[in-house]
Amino acid sequence: MPYDLAKETGTWANGEYSDSYPRILEKLGVPADYVQAVLDMKVPVEVTVSGDSFTYKMTEFGETSVNTFTLGVEGEEKDSSGSRKVTHTMEGDSMVSHYPNYDGTGLVFTTKRYFLDDNTIRTEMKCGDLEGWL
C-alpha cells in the first residue's frame, strides 16, 4: 500500500527510538543540552496533499514552519533549526527524504518513513556513518 501523507496530520510524540538516535540528533546540529527536549517534545503536524505536491505545517519549540514540496523535485525546507535542500520520493509503502548537504558541510542525511499501524510512524535514518530509527 502506498504511503498516505495525509495520515500524518495530527500531534506526534517520539516513542521508542534506537540507541543511536540521540547521537544522530547531535550530528544534525542539535546541541547536547537540547537533545532530551527533542526526545520529549510533541509536534503538531498538518499535512495537505494536492496531486504530487504536499504542504507540511508544524510547530516545534514555539516556532511554526510551513513547507511545500513536490515529489521527486528538490525543494527548500525551513524549520526551527535552519534551512536545507531536500528531495522527497515515494518508495513502495515509504516516503524517503534525501538531504544531500544537511548542514552545509556535506553531511548526507536520509530518512525513510512508513506506518507500523494507524498510530505509529517508524522513521529509519542514516546520517553520515550513523544509522538509527524512531
Side-chain angles (χ1 to χ4, degrees), residues 26-93:
E26 288 182 24
K27 193 166 195 165
L28 291 173
V30 175
D33 56 338
Y34 278 86
V35 168
Q36 192 60 50
V38 171
L39 296 174
D40 293 341
M41 80 175 154
K42 292 180 174 19
V43 180
V45 177
E46 292 176 37
V47 181
T48 54
V49 180
S50 178
D52 283 347
S53 294
F54 59 98
T55 300
Y56 272 100
K57 178 180 178 183
M58 59 194 300
T59 303
E60 49 189 7
F61 299 112
E63 185 176 319
T64 299
S65 59
V66 179
N67 293 287
T68 300
F69 304 101
T70 301
L71 291 172
V73 177
E74 186 176 70
E76 185 84 12
E77 177 182 271
K78 296 178 184 173
D79 60 26
S80 63
S81 64
S83 81
R84 64 207 61 84
K85 300 286 186 187
V86 61
T87 302
H88 300 285
T89 57
M90 295 295 181
E91 295 182 12
D93 65 349

